[in-house]
């Protein structure tokens, strides 16, 4: 939620919170009303068992691939693995069954698939190829298990599709978000990063899957053209001294000539990378970004902090601590902070932040309604002693 790729630390400060944080929390609270909140056990709603009976040629079409939110060509390794899975199914005259958390393969076919692909993985001598194979295998299984079960746009089961309730709108042309997503979060029902391109469109909020070469190439080619001073990353890096959004973008507080350039160049696009994965996976994702940044620009990733503190979006899904928040809420916080700066106050960023918050509420309501219909608990286990919001 890269050399001069800046990294945002979600820094929790005790009350009183900044004025815009109060506004954001109250705005969301009025939207949520008395909606129930989700249990920590509901990170991915278990799906009913899904059996694939695909009789196609084994390939994922470009239309199908990009229908899930991508802008890249179909990844070659993903297509190879999809073909392998379908050939294995045909050879063994077996069904591919998916079910449980994350829609994983189940039954005898899972044992056969695991044996085959473990052998393939171990035969790869290059560590990068092994990593790409791991990512592609995750994506391939999710594509096959979700086809005909999930809505391609909102990633919810078709009977729970929330697309008609979302209100898309434009993002200011000077900002582009990059959702750097872990394969295990791809097609995850309660993922919030997907909301950015659902609201703002895929050119304003672009999906980049971690370990998928085609996606990462598109992202880094864009960064090279933009230059290191036009790329930042939102992530709580504790190893460097953070700067605030105001210190970085607020020209009235800076005598830096770069800030004058930033304000004067109306064609400049700010690229913000949001690391979209569980907190346990995000460290490796951030490390990969840093390593690639050093190769491209020879620079490490400095930090910039968001001053929003604990977000009301902790109600959507549990976080390890109050100073961390979900991907979409981090984007909301950034837009709200930029709106407070005179240089950016005329771009309607507060309205764009509100549109994204509204989408989060729609997602929360859809997931809660599904759990109620299926007779599951919607009471979140309390993790913190502080009463926030």
């Amino acid at each position: 939620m890269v050399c001069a790729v800046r990294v945002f630390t979600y820094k929790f400060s005790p009350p009183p919170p900044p004025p815009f944080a109060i506004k954001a929390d109250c705005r969301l609270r009025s939207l949520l009303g008395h909606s129930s909140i989700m249990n920590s056990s509901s990170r991915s709603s278990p799906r009913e068992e899904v059996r694939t009976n695909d009789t196609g040629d084994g390939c994922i079409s470009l239309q199908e691939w990009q229908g899930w939110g991508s802008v890249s060509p179909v990844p070659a390794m993903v297509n190879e693995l999809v073909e392998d899975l379908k050939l294995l199914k045909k050879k063994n005259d077996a069904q591919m069954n998916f079910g449980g958390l994350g829609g994983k393969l189940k039954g005898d076919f899972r044992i056969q698939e695991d044996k085959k692909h473990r052998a393939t993985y171990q035969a790869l001598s290059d560590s990068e190829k092994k990593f790409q194979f791991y990512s592609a295998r995750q994506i391939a299984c999710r594509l096959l298990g979700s086809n005909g079960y999930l809505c391609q746009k909102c990633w919810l089961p078709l009977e729970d599709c929330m697309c008609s309730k979302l209100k898309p709108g434009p993002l200011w042309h000077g900002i582009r978000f990059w959702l750097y997503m872990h394969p295990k979060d791809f097609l995850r029902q309660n993922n919030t990063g997907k909301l950015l391109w659902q609201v703002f469109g895929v050119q304003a909020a672009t999906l980049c899957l971690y370990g998928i070469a085609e996606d990462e190439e598109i992202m880094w080619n864009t960064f090279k053209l933009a230059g290191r001073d036009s790329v930042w990353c939102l992530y709580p890096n504790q190893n460097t001294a953070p700067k605030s959004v105001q210190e970085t973008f607020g020209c009235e507080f800076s005598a830096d000539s770069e800030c004058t350039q930033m304000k004067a160049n109306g064609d400049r696009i700010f690229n913000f990378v949001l690391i979209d994965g569980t907190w346990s996976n995000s460290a490796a994702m951030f490390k990969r970004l840093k390593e690639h940044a050093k190769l491209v620009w020879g620079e490490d990733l400095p930090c910039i902090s968001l001053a929003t503190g604990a977000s009301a979006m902790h109600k959507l899904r549990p976080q390890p601590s109050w100073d961390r928040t979900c991907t979409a809420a981090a984007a909301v916080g950034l837009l709200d902070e930029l709106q407070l700066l005179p240089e950016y106050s005329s771009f309607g960023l507060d309205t764009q932040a509100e549109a994204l918050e509204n989408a989060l509420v729609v997602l929360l309501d859809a997931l809660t309604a599904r759990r109620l219909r299926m007779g599951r608990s919607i009471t979140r286990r309390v993790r913190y002693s502080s009463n926030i919001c």
Side-chain angles (χ1 to χ4, degrees):
M1 189 230 300
V2 184
C3 146
V5 179
R6 278 69 166 193
V7 182
F8 291 70
T9 301
Y10 308 128
K11 191 166 80 176
F12 175 65
S13 302
F20 70 89
I22 296 174
K23 179 189 73 172
D25 281 355
C26 291
R27 184 167 65 204
L28 181 65
R29 187 165 60 244
S30 67
L31 289 166
L32 283 171
H34 299 288
S35 293
S36 300
I37 46 183
M38 295 181 59
N39 191 307
S40 60
S41 65
S42 65
R43 292 188 175 186
S44 271
S45 299
R47 71 182 65 194
E48 299 83 1
E49 187 168 301
V50 177
R51 176 173 294 180
T52 63
N53 293 300
D54 186 270
T55 57
D57 61 4
C59 293
I60 299 292
S61 69
L62 180 64
Q63 181 179 4
E64 179 185 350
W65 172 247
Q66 293 189 346
W68 294 111
S70 178
V71 297
S72 70
V74 185
M77 194 172 289
V78 171
N79 244 344
E80 288 175 15
L81 283 160
V82 168
E83 290 179 24
D84 284 348
L85 285 164
K86 291 188 176 182
L87 285 172
L88 186 63
K89 169 189 169 184
K90 184 176 181 181
K91 178 181 177 181
N92 293 279
D93 193 24
Q95 291 290 344
M96 282 189 282
N97 297 327
F98 297 84
L101 292 174
K104 297 177 182 178
L105 276 169
K106 298 180 67 178
D108 292 338
F109 186 85
R110 175 183 178 276
I111 298 172
Q112 299 170 38
E113 184 273 342
D114 187 67
K115 182 178 179 180
K116 180 180 188 300
H117 285 143
R118 278 184 183 273
T120 303
Y121 178 86
Q122 291 169 0
L124 296 171
S125 57
D126 181 73
S127 60
E128 178 65 17
K129 287 292 183 185
K130 284 187 173 182
F131 169 63
Q132 291 177 0
F133 180 86
Y134 163 81
S135 295
R137 183 186 178 193
Q138 296 281 337
I139 299 296
C141 287
R142 279 165 170 71
L143 286 171
L144 289 172
S146 301
N147 187 26
Y149 173 68
L150 297 183
C151 169
Q152 283 195 296
K153 301 298 182 183
C154 66
W155 298 0
L156 295 182
L158 292 171
E159 65 268 25
D160 300 299
C161 177
M162 65 179 197
C163 293
S164 63
K165 298 177 182 177
L166 293 176
K167 296 181 179 179
L171 180 66
W172 174 51
H173 65 83
I175 289 177
R176 184 174 185 180
F177 287 113
W178 294 84
L179 283 302
Y180 193 45
M181 185 178 293
H182 194 278
K184 289 187 176 181
D185 262 66
F186 181 60
L187 306 186
R188 184 173 170 177
Q189 293 175 32
N190 68 353
N191 174 277
T192 65
K194 64 189 177 187
L195 296 174
L196 273 80
W197 68 76
Q198 283 190 278
V199 174
F200 301 131
V202 294
Q203 296 305 320
T206 304
L207 173 63
C208 176
L209 288 163
Y210 173 62
I212 299 300
E214 290 83 351
D215 282 25
E216 293 185 325
E217 182 180 5
I218 289 173
M219 183 174 75
W220 281 101
N221 284 343
T222 302
F223 292 171
K224 290 174 188 176
L225 289 173
R228 69 183 194 179
D229 296 327
S230 295
V231 185
W232 293 265
C233 176
L234 283 75
Y235 184 76
N237 180 20
Q238 303 297 329
N239 299 321
T240 58
K243 286 185 177 181
S244 68
V245 172
Q246 187 179 67
E247 289 170 329
T248 304
F249 296 97
C251 293
E252 70 273 26
F253 298 100
S254 174
D256 192 346
S257 60
E258 179 187 343
C259 188
T260 304
Q261 272 187 341
M262 198 178 288
K263 182 178 179 182
N265 187 357
D267 296 328
R268 185 176 181 182
I269 295 177
F270 300 154
N271 294 276
F272 293 104
V273 182
L274 294 135
I275 296 180
D276 195 5
T278 63
W279 287 102
S280 59
N281 290 326
S282 64
M285 299 171 73
F286 180 53
K287 181 181 178 183
R288 184 171 176 85
L289 284 173
K290 290 203 304 180
E291 289 174 348
H292 205 127
K294 285 187 176 181
L295 287 174
V296 174
W297 294 310
E299 297 275 349
D300 203 351
L301 305 179
C303 283
I304 297 179
S305 66
L306 286 174
T308 52
S311 168
M313 296 317 303
H314 283 264
K315 293 180 178 180
L316 181 63
R317 46 190 262 200
Q319 301 295 334
S321 62
W322 279 112
D323 62 334
R324 296 182 179 184
T325 191
C326 68
T327 304
V332 169
L334 174 64
L335 293 173
D336 272 333
E337 288 198 40
L338 286 172
Q339 173 67 28
L340 291 179
L341 302 177
E343 301 90 314
Y344 307 101
S345 61
S346 62
F347 301 135
L349 300 179
D350 54 343
T351 302
Q352 294 153 41
E354 186 172 6
L356 191 52
E357 279 187 334
N358 290 341
L360 278 162
V361 174
V362 170
L363 176 60
L364 172 62
D365 288 345
L367 292 171
T368 301
R370 176 173 175 78
R371 293 189 65 81
L372 284 170
R373 192 180 72 249
M374 301 183 75
R376 297 188 180 129
S377 171
I378 57 170
T379 303
R380 172 180 166 178
R381 178 169 60 90
V382 177
R383 291 187 174 190
Y384 316 106
S385 59
S386 301
N387 292 321
I388 298 181
C389 195

